[in-house]
Amino acid sequence: PVGFPVQFRVVGPDTQMVRKIAREVEAVVASSPKVRDVQLDWNDPVRAMKVQIDQDKARALGLTPSDVSMVTQTVMNGATLSQLREREDLIDIVARAVPQERLSLDTLKDINLYTRQGTVVPLSQVATVQHELEEPVLWRRNRDMAITVRADVKDGEQGVTATQEIRPMLKDIQAKLPSGYRIDVGGAVEESAKANDALLAVVPLMLGTIMLLLMLQLQDFSRMWMVLLTAPLGLIGVVPALLAFQAPLGFVAILGIIALGGMIMRNSVILIDQIQIEINEGRDPWNAVLDAAIHRTRPVVLAAAAAVLAMIPLTSSVFWGPMAIAIMGGLTVATLLTIFFVPALFAAWFKLRRHQPADGTDPAQGQLVPTA
């Protein structure tokens, strides 16, 4: 889960400067027609009560910062005096000042502090109490302050598409960033990049496993490489399909392309295996290629049609739509190409030639042909 699909992180050492830059980025993101609910992951500064101790006066009276802190914490937050048992639960008994006293600066200034000599002095004699604005939550990233400008996308929009559209609009802000400050892209783009990296890490293992399985099935290096060469045929149909439906080529679409490659290689294995069966039965290699292509066209087309039709309900999904579109477009084109490309590739790979018998019959048609 990404949370907000559109995210831009403003990172830098100074809190106020980071917030200022984040406000500028927020205004740019909000101007995009594809996003909504633009916000920061930092809340607005809140009013806090700060006690500033005069160290010289406190030491003169025999008070330490911990003494002052203990008294103020007891008044503000309370101190646990005991516990009350109610059946199996223990309930803390907390003593603290009433709300009217806790929220009043004048009352806090008159809090009595007991020195080690037994004298009583008011808090105002050794410290100043005042209200200040401070950040309620501070997020850091690699030890730097980081504010994330985040937004949701409108219905029918993709987080990756919206992010790519907003990035050029931030160039003016990035050009005038002070040294040590930067704007990072997060959200769907960042998560997609992480997923792609994780996917690429297992590609060598995936290819090795595919080659092993093909070798076990075909038991021939030439036929194995022939099947592998048919896998990219799906890209011829994937690109136009994604462009026609304006679907992004993201992580989900890449998953569809990988699955598509497996479907295409399966069809190629079926066709090449049938050719080998025909040849093993004593058929002429040229005729074996033709007969295998004819006999396997219907099952290959029906299997591809079933897969394409099964993807139709997913095309309306914002998340799974790109995968379904990639499979539908790629499998439709690749199936048609496989029926013609694989037999032609097989004949060219093994240098098959049409054999002309001496009796003048056409081996492909079984009919007489004119002879000189």
Side-chain angles (χ1 to χ4, degrees):
V2 179
F4 287 85
V6 178
Q7 296 183 16
F8 293 93
R9 281 190 302 271
V10 181
V11 183
D14 183 70
T15 303
Q16 298 303 321
M17 180 59 69
V18 168
R19 180 178 284 279
K20 177 183 176 182
I21 299 172
R23 290 298 184 188
E24 297 178 5
V25 175
E26 182 184 19
V28 173
V29 174
S31 65
S32 173
K34 295 186 177 182
V35 302
R36 63 183 180 185
D37 300 334
V38 184
Q39 57 183 265
L40 305 179
D41 63 345
W42 285 20
N43 296 324
D44 292 330
V46 296
R47 193 175 69 166
M49 190 174 296
K50 185 175 182 180
V51 178
Q52 185 68 37
I53 301 175
D54 188 329
Q55 298 292 343
D56 295 334
K57 292 182 179 180
R59 281 195 297 267
L61 295 172
L63 294 173
T64 63
S66 61
D67 296 333
V68 179
S69 175
M70 184 180 301
V71 174
T72 54
Q73 288 291 335
T74 301
V75 174
M76 296 295 296
N77 300 327
T80 302
L81 302 180
S82 181
Q83 289 183 323
L84 173 66
R85 178 179 293 276
E86 184 174 344
R87 296 182 181 178
E88 67 274 6
D89 298 327
L90 290 176
I91 302 174
D92 292 336
I93 300 176
V94 179
R96 64 177 179 179
V98 295
Q100 293 80 0
E101 296 180 358
R102 296 200 309 269
L103 301 178
S104 173
L105 284 179
D106 295 333
T107 303
L108 290 176
K109 292 177 182 179
D110 295 334
I111 293 176
N112 292 328
L113 302 176
Y114 292 88
T115 66
R116 287 179 171 80
Q117 290 78 21
T119 59
V120 179
V121 296
L123 178 62
S124 59
Q125 188 171 339
V126 296
T128 57
V129 183
Q130 59 186 4
H131 285 300
E132 290 186 356
L133 293 178
E134 67 176 20
E135 302 291 346
V137 178
L138 294 177
W139 291 98
R140 294 180 182 270
R141 193 174 185 88
N142 296 330
R143 301 176 63 182
D144 285 330
M145 297 296 178
I147 298 181
T148 302
V149 181
R150 53 194 186 181
D152 199 357
V153 293
K154 295 182 179 179
D155 295 338
E157 300 292 346
Q158 292 281 341
V160 175
T161 305
T163 302
Q164 297 298 342
E165 182 181 281
I166 295 173
R167 289 182 71 175
M169 301 165 60
L170 298 175
K171 289 184 178 180
D172 293 339
I173 299 177
Q174 291 176 321
K176 59 182 181 181
L177 286 178
S179 177
Y181 294 84
R182 67 181 188 274
I183 300 176
D184 298 333
V185 179
V189 172
E190 183 180 45
E191 294 301 320
S192 179
K194 292 180 181 178
N196 291 339
D197 292 340
L199 193 62
L200 291 175
V202 298
V203 166
L205 177 61
M206 178 188 69
L207 292 177
T209 304
I210 291 175
M211 294 173 66
L212 176 62
L213 294 176
L214 290 177
M215 193 62 191
L216 292 175
Q217 173 65 29
L218 301 174
Q219 299 182 359
D220 185 86
F221 278 106
S222 297
R223 294 180 178 86
M224 179 194 70
W225 288 112
M226 194 182 307
V227 171
L228 289 175
L229 288 176
T230 62
L233 292 177
L235 295 176
I236 301 175
V238 169
V239 175
L242 292 177
L243 290 176
F245 287 90
Q246 296 183 348
L249 182 60
F251 174 73
V252 179
I254 293 176
L255 287 181
I257 293 174
I258 294 175
L260 175 63
M263 298 177 188
I264 297 172
M265 287 189 287
R266 176 204 60 193
N267 294 339
S268 301
V269 168
I270 293 174
L271 193 53
I272 292 175
D273 191 57
Q274 182 64 32
I275 294 174
Q276 191 61 38
I277 291 175
E278 298 280 350
I279 293 176
N280 292 339
E281 291 178 352
R283 299 293 302 277
D284 177 71
W286 181 269
N287 289 337
V289 172
L290 295 178
D291 291 342
I294 295 173
H295 293 161
R296 288 300 178 183
T297 295
R298 178 178 294 179
V300 168
V301 171
L302 290 178
V308 170
L309 293 176
M311 292 292 110
I312 292 178
L314 293 178
T315 55
S316 59
S317 172
V318 175
F319 184 77
W320 297 109
M323 182 191 71
I325 293 171
I327 292 177
M328 291 174 62
L331 191 57
T332 300
V333 175
T335 300
L336 299 177
L337 292 177
T338 301
I339 295 173
F340 299 99
F341 175 74
V342 173
L345 178 62
F346 191 95
W349 191 290
F350 293 101
K351 297 181 174 60
L352 302 183
R353 293 293 182 268
R354 189 172 185 176
H355 178 63
Q356 183 72 42
D359 59 1
T361 59
D362 185 346
Q365 302 293 334
Q367 298 175 352
L368 292 176
V369 295
T371 57

